[in-house]
Protein backbone atom coordinates (compact mmCIF):
# COMPACT_ATOMS: atom_id res chain seq x y z
CA UNK A 1 0.00 0.00 0.00
CA UNK A 2 1.27 3.38 -1.06
CA UNK A 3 -1.03 6.15 0.15
CA UNK A 4 -0.99 9.91 -0.17
CA UNK A 5 -2.38 11.53 2.97
CA UNK A 6 -4.09 14.93 2.91
CA UNK A 7 -5.76 16.93 5.68
CA UNK A 8 -7.37 20.26 6.58
CA UNK A 9 -8.39 21.40 3.11
CA UNK A 10 -10.79 24.04 4.47
CA UNK A 11 -12.54 24.93 1.25
CA UNK A 12 -9.32 26.03 -0.48
CA UNK A 13 -9.90 24.62 -3.96
CA UNK A 14 -6.77 26.06 -5.56
CA UNK A 15 -4.60 24.41 -2.90
CA UNK A 16 -6.46 21.11 -3.28
CA UNK A 17 -6.10 21.20 -7.08
CA UNK A 18 -2.33 21.72 -6.75
CA UNK A 19 -1.98 18.87 -4.26
CA UNK A 20 -4.06 16.48 -6.36
CA UNK A 21 -1.93 17.31 -9.42
CA UNK A 22 1.24 16.47 -7.46
CA UNK A 23 -0.40 13.31 -6.11
CA UNK A 24 -1.25 12.20 -9.67
CA UNK A 25 2.49 12.19 -10.39
CA UNK A 26 3.08 10.08 -7.28
CA UNK A 27 0.52 7.54 -8.58
CA UNK A 28 -0.44 6.17 -5.12
CA UNK A 29 -2.74 3.21 -4.56
CA UNK A 30 -5.06 5.36 -2.45
CA UNK A 31 -5.62 8.89 -1.15
CA UNK A 32 -6.60 9.23 2.53
CA UNK A 33 -8.10 12.45 3.94
CA UNK A 34 -7.96 13.28 7.66
CA UNK A 35 -10.87 15.74 7.68
CA UNK A 36 -11.77 19.44 7.79
CA UNK A 37 -12.79 19.59 4.15
CA UNK A 38 -14.76 22.78 4.80
CA UNK A 39 -14.73 25.82 7.08
CA UNK A 40 -12.61 29.00 6.67
CA UNK A 41 -12.37 28.68 2.87
CA UNK A 42 -14.46 29.95 -0.04
CA UNK A 43 -15.05 26.75 -2.10
CA UNK A 44 -16.56 24.13 0.26
CA UNK A 45 -18.79 22.34 -2.27
CA UNK A 46 -16.07 21.86 -4.88
CA UNK A 47 -13.68 20.53 -2.23
CA UNK A 48 -16.26 18.02 -0.96
CA UNK A 49 -16.92 16.81 -4.50
CA UNK A 50 -13.21 16.36 -5.24
CA UNK A 51 -12.45 14.49 -2.01
CA UNK A 52 -15.50 12.26 -2.50
CA UNK A 53 -14.29 11.43 -6.02
CA UNK A 54 -10.54 11.12 -5.40
CA UNK A 55 -10.07 9.81 -1.84
CA UNK A 56 -10.51 6.13 -1.03
CA UNK A 57 -11.16 7.07 2.60
CA UNK A 58 -11.98 10.29 4.41
CA UNK A 59 -12.55 11.39 7.97
CA UNK A 60 -14.51 14.43 9.11
CA UNK A 61 -13.02 17.14 11.34
CA UNK A 62 -14.37 19.60 13.88
CA UNK A 63 -15.15 22.20 11.18
CA UNK A 64 -17.10 19.68 9.10
CA UNK A 65 -19.05 18.65 12.21
CA UNK A 66 -19.70 22.30 13.09
CA UNK A 67 -20.97 23.09 9.60
CA UNK A 68 -23.39 20.14 9.47
CA UNK A 69 -24.57 20.90 13.02
CA UNK A 70 -23.34 17.75 14.79
CA UNK A 71 -21.40 19.97 17.20
CA UNK A 72 -22.11 23.56 18.18
CA UNK A 73 -19.93 26.51 17.21
CA UNK A 74 -19.28 27.60 20.81
CA UNK A 75 -15.71 26.29 20.79
CA UNK A 76 -14.87 28.07 17.54
CA UNK A 77 -13.01 31.38 17.22
CA UNK A 78 -15.07 34.31 15.91
CA UNK A 79 -13.64 34.03 12.38
CA UNK A 80 -14.09 30.24 12.36
CA UNK A 81 -17.70 30.53 13.53
CA UNK A 82 -18.48 33.24 10.97
CA UNK A 83 -17.04 31.16 8.13
CA UNK A 84 -18.85 28.06 9.41
CA UNK A 85 -22.19 29.92 9.34
CA UNK A 86 -21.45 31.15 5.81
CA UNK A 87 -20.55 27.59 4.77
CA UNK A 88 -23.85 26.34 6.24
CA UNK A 89 -25.67 28.87 4.05
CA UNK A 90 -24.05 27.70 0.79
CA UNK A 91 -23.50 23.97 1.39
CA UNK A 92 -25.04 21.78 -1.33
CA UNK A 93 -27.30 18.89 -0.27
CA UNK A 94 -24.85 16.41 -1.88
CA UNK A 95 -21.92 17.82 0.09
CA UNK A 96 -23.93 17.68 3.32
CA UNK A 97 -24.86 14.03 2.71
CA UNK A 98 -21.19 13.22 2.06
CA UNK A 99 -19.97 14.98 5.22
CA UNK A 100 -22.71 13.45 7.38
CA UNK A 101 -21.48 9.95 6.52
CA UNK A 102 -17.90 10.58 7.74
CA UNK A 103 -16.37 9.71 11.14
CA UNK A 104 -13.48 11.53 12.86
CA UNK A 105 -11.42 8.33 13.17
CA UNK A 106 -10.78 5.14 11.24
CA UNK A 107 -8.26 2.43 10.34
CA UNK A 108 -6.56 1.80 7.01
CA UNK A 109 -4.02 -1.05 6.71
CA UNK A 110 -1.62 -0.72 9.70
CA UNK A 111 -2.38 2.98 10.17
CA UNK A 112 -4.82 4.58 12.60
CA UNK A 113 -6.39 7.74 11.22
CA UNK A 114 -7.65 10.44 13.60
CA UNK A 115 -8.69 13.97 12.70
CA UNK A 116 -7.25 15.46 15.92
CA UNK A 117 -5.82 12.69 18.15
CA UNK A 118 -6.52 9.18 19.47
CA UNK A 119 -7.24 10.74 22.89
CA UNK A 120 -9.89 13.10 21.45
CA UNK A 121 -10.47 12.56 17.71
CA UNK A 122 -12.31 15.86 17.27
CA UNK A 123 -10.59 18.51 19.39
CA UNK A 124 -7.14 17.73 20.89
CA UNK A 125 -4.19 19.50 19.27
CA UNK A 126 -1.13 17.22 19.18
CA UNK A 127 1.81 19.60 18.99
CA UNK A 128 3.99 18.90 22.05
CA UNK A 129 6.10 15.77 22.71
CA UNK A 130 3.87 15.07 25.74
CA UNK A 131 0.70 15.08 23.65
CA UNK A 132 2.40 12.98 20.97
CA UNK A 133 3.49 10.40 23.55
CA UNK A 134 -0.05 10.19 24.96
CA UNK A 135 -1.44 9.81 21.45
CA UNK A 136 0.99 7.04 20.54
CA UNK A 137 0.31 4.98 23.67
CA UNK A 138 -3.47 5.48 23.34
CA UNK A 139 -3.69 4.27 19.74
CA UNK A 140 -3.52 0.53 19.06
CA UNK A 141 -1.96 1.11 15.64
CA UNK A 142 1.79 1.31 14.98
CA UNK A 143 1.41 4.32 12.71
CA UNK A 144 -0.85 7.14 13.90
CA UNK A 145 -1.96 9.78 11.40
CA UNK A 146 -3.44 13.04 12.69
CA UNK A 147 -4.38 16.44 11.26
CA UNK A 148 -6.12 19.37 12.99
CA UNK A 149 -3.07 21.44 14.08
CA UNK A 150 -2.20 22.37 10.47
CA UNK A 151 1.48 21.66 11.30
CA UNK A 152 3.52 19.08 9.37
CA UNK A 153 4.92 17.02 12.25
CA UNK A 154 6.65 13.72 12.93
CA UNK A 155 7.18 11.98 16.26
CA UNK A 156 8.86 8.60 16.68
CA UNK A 157 9.00 6.32 19.70
CA UNK A 158 12.09 4.07 19.67
CA UNK A 159 13.44 2.09 22.65
CA UNK A 160 11.17 4.07 24.99
CA UNK A 161 12.48 7.44 23.77
CA UNK A 162 10.32 9.95 21.90
CA UNK A 163 11.85 12.29 19.31
CA UNK A 164 10.43 14.57 16.69
CA UNK A 165 9.03 17.95 15.74
CA UNK A 166 8.27 19.94 12.61
CA UNK A 167 8.71 18.09 9.32
CA UNK A 168 9.60 20.53 6.52
CA UNK A 169 9.29 19.87 2.78
CA UNK A 170 11.36 16.89 1.70
CA UNK A 171 11.60 15.26 5.14
CA UNK A 172 12.02 11.51 4.58
CA UNK A 173 11.42 8.85 7.23
CA UNK A 174 12.56 5.25 7.49
CA UNK A 175 9.54 3.78 9.26
CA UNK A 176 11.59 0.73 10.25
CA UNK A 177 13.81 2.90 12.44
CA UNK A 178 11.26 3.27 15.27
CA UNK A 179 8.62 1.17 16.99
CA UNK A 180 5.76 3.65 16.80
CA UNK A 181 5.05 6.78 14.78
CA UNK A 182 2.78 9.81 14.88
CA UNK A 183 2.66 11.73 11.59
CA UNK A 184 0.76 14.89 10.65
CA UNK A 185 0.90 15.62 6.91
CA UNK A 186 0.27 19.34 7.48
CA UNK A 187 -2.61 21.29 5.95
CA UNK A 188 -3.64 21.52 2.31
CA UNK A 189 -5.67 24.69 2.60
CA UNK A 190 -4.44 26.67 5.61
CA UNK A 191 -0.84 25.78 6.65
CA UNK A 192 0.26 27.20 10.00
CA UNK A 193 3.93 26.15 10.16
CA UNK A 194 5.31 29.18 8.35
CA UNK A 195 5.40 27.50 4.93
CA UNK A 196 2.38 28.76 2.96
CA UNK A 197 2.62 25.98 0.36
CA UNK A 198 0.00 23.21 0.43
CA UNK A 199 1.07 20.06 2.28
CA UNK A 200 0.66 16.33 1.83
CA UNK A 201 2.39 13.11 2.89
CA UNK A 202 3.46 10.14 0.80
CA UNK A 203 3.16 7.03 2.99
CA UNK A 204 4.69 3.91 1.44
CA UNK A 205 3.84 1.07 3.83
CA UNK A 206 5.42 -1.57 1.56
CA UNK A 207 8.79 0.20 1.45
CA UNK A 208 8.50 1.48 5.05
CA UNK A 209 9.05 5.08 4.03
CA UNK A 210 7.24 8.38 4.41
CA UNK A 211 7.97 11.66 2.62
CA UNK A 212 6.62 15.12 3.47
CA UNK A 213 5.77 17.24 0.43
CA UNK A 214 4.81 20.88 -0.15
CA UNK A 215 3.48 22.35 -3.38
CA UNK A 216 2.91 25.99 -4.36
CA UNK A 217 -0.56 27.13 -5.41
CA UNK A 218 -2.09 30.47 -6.48
CA UNK A 219 -2.70 31.92 -2.99
CA UNK A 220 -3.97 35.21 -4.48
CA UNK A 221 -6.79 33.37 -6.25
CA UNK A 222 -8.10 31.92 -2.98
CA UNK A 223 -7.66 35.29 -1.25
CA UNK A 224 -9.76 36.93 -3.97
CA UNK A 225 -12.51 34.32 -3.54
CA UNK A 226 -12.52 34.93 0.24
CA UNK A 227 -12.87 38.70 -0.31
CA UNK A 228 -15.55 38.27 -3.00
CA UNK A 229 -17.65 36.35 -0.48
CA UNK A 230 -17.09 38.86 2.33
CA UNK A 231 -15.36 36.32 4.58
CA UNK A 232 -13.12 37.67 7.40
CA UNK A 233 -10.00 39.40 6.05
CA UNK A 234 -7.59 37.67 8.51
CA UNK A 235 -8.46 34.37 6.80
CA UNK A 236 -7.08 35.80 3.54
CA UNK A 237 -3.99 37.41 5.07
CA UNK A 238 -2.85 34.28 6.93
CA UNK A 239 -2.69 32.20 3.73
CA UNK A 240 0.26 34.13 2.29
CA UNK A 241 2.38 33.76 5.44
CA UNK A 242 1.30 30.22 6.33
CA UNK A 243 0.33 31.03 9.91
ZN1 LIG B 1 -8.50 22.21 10.40
Amino acid sequence: MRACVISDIHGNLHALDAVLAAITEEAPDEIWCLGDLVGYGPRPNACCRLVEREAAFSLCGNHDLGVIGTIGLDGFSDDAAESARWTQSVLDPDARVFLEALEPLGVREEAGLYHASPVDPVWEYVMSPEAAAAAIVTAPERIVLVGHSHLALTFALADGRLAGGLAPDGTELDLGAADRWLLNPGSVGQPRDGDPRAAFLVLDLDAGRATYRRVPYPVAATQQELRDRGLPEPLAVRLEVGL
Side-chain angles (χ1 to χ4, degrees), residues 209-234:
R209 300 200 67 81
T211 307
Y212 287 81
R213 295 277 314 274
R214 300 304 272 263
V215 290
Y217 74 94
V219 172
T222 296
Q223 291 177 311
Q224 189 59 50
E225 291 173 348
L226 283 161
R227 289 168 180 144
D228 289 346
R229 288 156 180 75
L231 288 162
E233 178 64 14

Side-chain angles (χ1 to χ4, degrees), residues 24-201:
T24 298
E25 291 179 20
E26 293 285 344
D29 299 310
E30 293 187 352
I31 297 173
W32 301 343
C33 174
L34 304 180
D36 275 3
L37 286 68
V38 304
Y40 294 129
R43 303 291 299 277
N45 293 311
C47 289
C48 287
R49 275 197 299 275
L50 266 181
V51 171
E52 184 173 19
R53 193 180 78 198
E54 300 293 332
F57 188 73
S58 182
L59 306 177
C60 58
N62 54 305
H63 286 259
D64 305 315
L65 293 169
V67 164
I68 63 175
T70 306
I71 62 174
L73 301 178
D74 301 349
F76 285 57
S77 69
D78 290 349
D79 287 348
E82 183 179 340
S83 66
R85 282 190 292 270
W86 174 83
T87 305
Q88 288 171 340
S89 75
V90 301
L91 195 68
D92 284 343
D94 289 356
R96 169 176 286 277
V97 166
F98 176 60
L99 293 177
E100 284 176 344
L102 305 180
E103 300 286 337
L105 73 170
V107 179
R108 211 72 183 159
E109 304 273 321
E110 62 190 288
L113 283 61
Y114 305 87
H115 173 65
S117 89
V119 175
D120 177 345
V122 176
W123 276 115
E124 191 200 18
Y125 290 89
V126 181
M127 297 190 279
S128 67
E130 293 76 18
I136 285 173
V137 300
T138 300
E141 302 88 8
R142 190 174 90 87
I143 297 170
V144 179
L145 302 173
V146 302
H148 190 52
S149 71
H150 300 204
L151 306 176
L153 293 168
T154 176
F155 287 98
L157 185 67
D159 301 326
R161 286 173 51 89
L162 187 82
L166 289 173
D169 185 29
T171 298
E172 293 216 23
L173 306 175
D174 170 6
L175 298 175
D179 308 315
R180 307 281 302 272
W181 291 91
L182 181 137
L183 312 176
N184 186 326
S187 170
V188 171
Q190 195 197 75
R192 296 177 189 165
D193 51 12
D195 183 343
R197 295 175 298 172
F200 71 100
L201 178 73

